[in-house]
Amino acid sequence: MTHESPAGVVRRQYLASAAGDLDALRATLAPDVEWKEMAGFPLAGTYRTPEGVTAAVMQQLGKDWDDWTAHDDTYVVDGENVVVLARYTAVNKATGKPIDVRVAHHFVVRGGLIVRFEQFVDTALVRDAMSA
């Protein structure tokens, strides 16, 4: 039996998200996951349970945006903490405006599952793309 590294678990989450595979994404999340979308972000709030996270975040992004993708660029790992420097790209369905915005994500991985996530993003750029 191999033990997947915290960075490996996080990478698997990004790959599942990019593929639109919500079952695979949920499989990376702990049953009591705490997922925080940043204040000012359109989906701001704290979500719990793998089903709650995918319903409130990933499925909602799919309703409002075409091709929403989180591109994971750089990983900084310290034990169970994984910080990923990334960027979001997408096109807003209502306005047709694209985004390409830098983000940072902080994950805590314990026992091979993501137990906590916190998003840091320039929310003004995302909201601008949503405004006509």
Side-chain angles (χ1 to χ4, degrees):
M1 180 173 163
T2 57
H3 177 70
E4 189 174 15
S5 71
V9 174
V10 170
R11 177 70 177 137
R12 194 160 40 90
Q13 180 271 152
Y14 280 105
L15 292 172
S17 179
D21 187 344
L22 296 183
D23 288 333
L25 192 152
R26 282 189 285 270
T28 67
L29 304 177
D32 60 347
V33 66
E34 180 180 277
W35 188 280
K36 291 184 178 183
E37 296 287 314
M38 188 169 172
F41 190 71
L43 303 174
T46 300
Y47 305 96
R48 299 183 195 289
T49 77
E51 294 76 17
V53 169
T54 54
V57 179
M58 290 72 182
Q59 290 176 329
Q60 288 306 120
L61 289 171
K63 290 179 184 176
D64 295 334
W65 300 88
D66 284 322
D67 302 319
W68 182 276
T69 305
H71 306 270
D72 51 328
D73 299 329
T74 303
Y75 284 66
V76 180
V77 182
D78 181 15
E80 65 185 15
N81 291 284
V82 180
V83 175
V84 180
L85 304 178
R87 64 188 171 87
Y88 293 149
T89 59
V91 176
N92 185 266
K93 289 182 179 182
T95 66
K97 293 181 183 178
I99 61 165
D100 187 341
V101 60
R102 294 293 291 163
V103 300
H105 293 154
H106 175 215
F107 295 87
V108 177
V109 180
R110 206 171 285 142
L113 294 171
I114 297 165
V115 297
R116 197 171 318 126
F117 165 86
E118 187 172 5
Q119 171 201 56
F120 301 89
V121 60
D122 185 340
T123 58
L125 292 177
V126 176
R127 289 191 172 277
D128 285 351
M130 297 176 77
S131 301

